[in-house]
Amino acid sequence: MTGSVAPEGVILLHGLARTRRSMRPLAVFFRERGYATVNVGYPSRRAPIEVLAHDALPPAIAELRRTGVGRIHFVTHSMGGILLRAWLAAERPDELGRVVMLSPPNQGSELVDCLGRFAWFRLLFGPAGLQLTTGPEGLPSRLGPADFPLGVITGNRPAPGLAGFFPGPGDGKVSTARAQLEGMTDFLVLPCGHSLIMRRRSVHEQAAFFLENGRFRR
């Protein structure tokens, strides 16, 4: 990708209780590849997911449109993927390209099922965190399948003490099974944990490969 104006753009969305600093390595990576890149920050613990999405995404879209991009891709971490799904359920930019989600709780998280009843959890993670349950009342279950080009990358290296929350493999916050979403284009499991998956160079390269080719590199 060359020229003074990048022909394609990428919007990055961090996860729950994180900031855009957590996505900075990805932002640097995509800018070096020639993408116009917007690394969105939003107050993930202060409001429900739908409100956060409505407040965060339109300004990012507008910023990229001012650069003249023809396609707008998204790369998200954790709850950032649910923010994007909630927004795409109501809005669909004409320039929508491809989406890569890193460790998304696409079918909720068993960790929220177990810990959401505690006051400290509600205080620490706010109303958005409580929406990530696995049951039919959880927001992920109510958003429907993917109807856009979607690649999902998740990990299978949970931090010590967290594996017991899941009936099968997982990354410590989201099980491998619940990271998947009906309608997704491709799915990849890498030896990563949930909290740092977005900092791995191999993950960066796979995300870029999907944006450019519509599939992961095997």
Side-chain angles (χ1 to χ4, degrees), residues 115-163:
L115 302 180
R117 65 184 184 276
F118 294 108
W120 64 264
F121 184 95
R122 298 192 294 272
L123 180 64
L124 187 60
F125 296 109
L130 294 175
Q131 290 179 282
L132 300 177
T133 56
T134 64
E137 75 285 353
L139 180 60
S141 299
R142 294 186 278 113
L143 291 175
D147 58 355
F148 49 87
L150 170 64
V152 175
I153 303 175
T154 195
N156 60 4
R157 295 290 188 273
L162 291 176

Side-chain angles (χ1 to χ4, degrees), residues 103 153-158 170-171 188-194 196-197 200 202-203 206:
S103 293
I153 303 175
T154 195
N156 60 4
R157 295 290 188 273
D171 66 4
L188 185 65
V189 179
L190 295 176
C192 307
H194 185 91
L196 297 178
I197 189 171
R200 298 285 292 272
S202 60
V203 172
Q206 288 284 4

Side-chain angles (χ1 to χ4, degrees), residues 30-85:
F30 280 113
R31 285 173 186 144
E32 289 176 348
R33 291 184 76 96
Y35 288 92
T37 304
V38 177
N39 186 9
V40 178
Y42 63 95
S44 63
R45 300 182 293 177
R46 295 184 185 175
I49 288 171
E50 300 91 335
V51 174
L52 296 171
H54 179 268
D55 291 346
L57 282 162
I61 293 285
E63 182 175 345
L64 279 184
R65 283 175 173 161
R66 287 193 292 270
T67 72
V69 299
R71 298 178 80 195
I72 297 176
H73 306 291
F74 295 85
V75 178
T76 69
H77 176 236
S78 192
M79 191 184 77
I82 311 306
L83 239 73
L84 179 60
R85 287 177 61 197

